[in-house]
Amino acid sequence: MDLPELSVRSQLLDAGFTDDEVRRLVRAGRLTPLRRGVYVEGSVPDDVLAKHVLQVEAALGQLADDAVVSHVSAAVLHGLRIWGIPLDRVHVTRSRRNGGRCGALVHVHTAPLDPAEIVTIGGRPVTSLARTIADLARSLPFERAVVLADAAMFHKRTDRLERAGLVEALARAPRWPGSPAARRVVAFANGLSESVGESRSRVALAAGLALPELQWEVRARDTGEFIGRVDFGWPGVRTVGEFDGLVKYGRTLRPDQDPVEVLVAEKLREDALRAEDLGVARWIWSDLNRFAPVAARIRSHFRPT
């Protein structure tokens, strides 16, 4: 992330600025308070993730040297997809038995940390990808934890996390609170989910349908010609499911391409799928909050086996 520079009041005073000058810089918009005694040059980013990275940087400057960025703050620094988790506090962990606290801006956790569970990102000490997911899977609701675990295992990540690494991370502390729930998350996680919507869809589908094949490559039955890759497939009952997050259409756009072209191409792709005697069911974000009608629609497309 290309982030603005931070300025700490004590450093500004050491550089010869007075408090009156600092206040004038704030009024002029050249400095914006980020937290008490810490300013960002210019304005605070609108992007909540970029803002959280700045908050992490500001917090670390005021915490003990053994504080390691952890939990959702570590997930942000690892570049994971995040859904439904507040970013109002910076989370850090100190490797000790007590001394934890949860304030308005910082949550200090205390728990054993092995040196192998600490990595460096942008010069900051951060819990490893495996330890980060283990911590969050022990403490978050199932659906939110699955979104994060899927993102960590995402097959296109250069540093993708293997399931074995997650199992090992949980095995280091098998009796910690939340461990049974975390093991359920790890068993369910799948690196083939390509978005928050697809991860949430998998959780919703598991409540009443057989789990589908992810990223199913559909080919013509007579020629073997590739027709398309679908989000979810039930090959045995000739049915496919697609989560329409809209953003995925934007990702496919070339700089010179009209969005209408992408929608037309998607319509032709769906026609080709139906021509292969495949039932096609689609759903959108709002459907994920009340999925039973979608599940019934998917089931109605199932062909007799």
Side-chain angles (χ1 to χ4, degrees):
M1 293 182 182
D2 186 15
L3 299 172
E5 295 290 332
L6 292 182
S7 297
V8 180
R9 177 180 174 275
S10 60
Q11 294 172 338
L12 290 170
L13 296 179
D14 289 342
F17 289 86
T18 67
D19 279 328
D20 283 343
E21 288 175 315
V22 172
R23 283 191 286 268
R24 283 199 295 270
L25 289 172
V26 171
R27 287 196 297 270
R30 293 179 60 186
L31 291 178
T32 301
L34 187 65
R35 57 183 295 155
R36 185 177 179 85
V38 181
Y39 307 88
V40 61
E41 294 183 12
S43 59
V44 175
D46 292 330
D47 181 86
V48 293
L49 298 180
K51 181 178 179 180
H52 193 74
V53 174
L54 285 174
Q55 290 170 332
V56 167
E57 187 73 24
L60 287 179
Q62 299 179 345
L63 292 171
D65 291 341
D66 64 344
V68 178
V69 182
S70 64
H71 294 77
V72 70
S73 297
V76 170
L77 295 186
H78 279 291
L80 298 182
R81 301 187 294 261
I82 295 171
W83 169 76
I85 309 174
L87 293 176
D88 53 342
R89 292 184 180 90
V90 170
H91 290 256
V92 299
T93 294
R94 301 180 68 189
S95 187
R96 52 182 59 199
R97 292 184 179 275
N98 50 49
R101 58 183 173 83
C102 184
L105 297 176
V106 179
H107 188 161
V108 178
H109 304 260
T110 55
L113 266 177
D114 189 279
E117 296 178 313
I118 303 173
V119 299
T120 301
I121 300 177
R124 311 172 189 91
V126 183
T127 52
S128 67
L129 197 53
R131 174 60 187 263
T132 298
I133 297 302
D135 283 340
L136 289 168
R138 281 189 285 254
S139 57
L140 289 175
F142 181 75
E143 186 178 20
R144 298 177 194 179
V146 166
V147 167
L148 285 160
D150 282 357
M153 295 172 62
F154 184 46
H155 65 108
K156 293 182 181 179
R157 283 182 67 99
T158 55
D159 62 341
R160 64 171 298 188
L161 179 60
E162 301 292 341
R163 195 183 311 276
L166 265 176
V167 171
E168 181 181 349
L170 291 175
R172 290 195 182 102
R175 298 186 184 279
W176 283 13
S179 290
R183 287 190 286 271
R184 178 176 169 236
V185 169
V186 171
F188 188 81
N190 193 309
L192 291 176
S193 284
E194 297 192 335
S195 68
V196 171
E198 289 184 26
S199 294
R200 293 188 62 201
S201 294
R202 286 179 44 245
V203 174
L205 289 166
L209 291 168
L211 286 179
E213 182 175 325
L214 304 185
Q215 311 306 330
W216 180 33
E217 293 190 351
V218 179
R219 297 184 178 276
R221 286 186 289 182
D222 54 349
T223 66
E225 180 184 359
F226 176 76
I227 294 175
R229 182 168 59 88
V230 297
D231 297 337
F232 308 97
W234 292 265
V237 290
R238 306 296 298 165
T239 300
V240 303
E242 293 272 79
F243 169 73
D244 283 331
L246 298 183
V247 67
K248 71 180 180 182
Y249 300 126
R251 284 201 305 261
T252 65
L253 283 178
R254 300 188 304 270
D256 60 341
Q257 193 174 20
D258 189 325
V260 175
E261 292 181 41
V262 178
L263 295 176
V264 170
E266 181 62 21
K267 175 63 169 61
L268 294 175
R269 172 176 169 274
E270 182 170 329
D271 289 344
L273 292 172
R274 294 185 188 280
E276 288 297 312
D277 192 33
L278 290 169
V280 179
R282 293 182 175 276
W283 56 92
I284 59 177
W285 275 105
S286 58
D287 292 322
L288 294 174
N289 298 320
R290 185 173 174 269
F291 202 73
V294 178
R297 190 164 70 246
I298 295 171
R299 200 177 291 109
S300 71
H301 288 297
F302 284 180
R303 307 292 193 268
T305 57

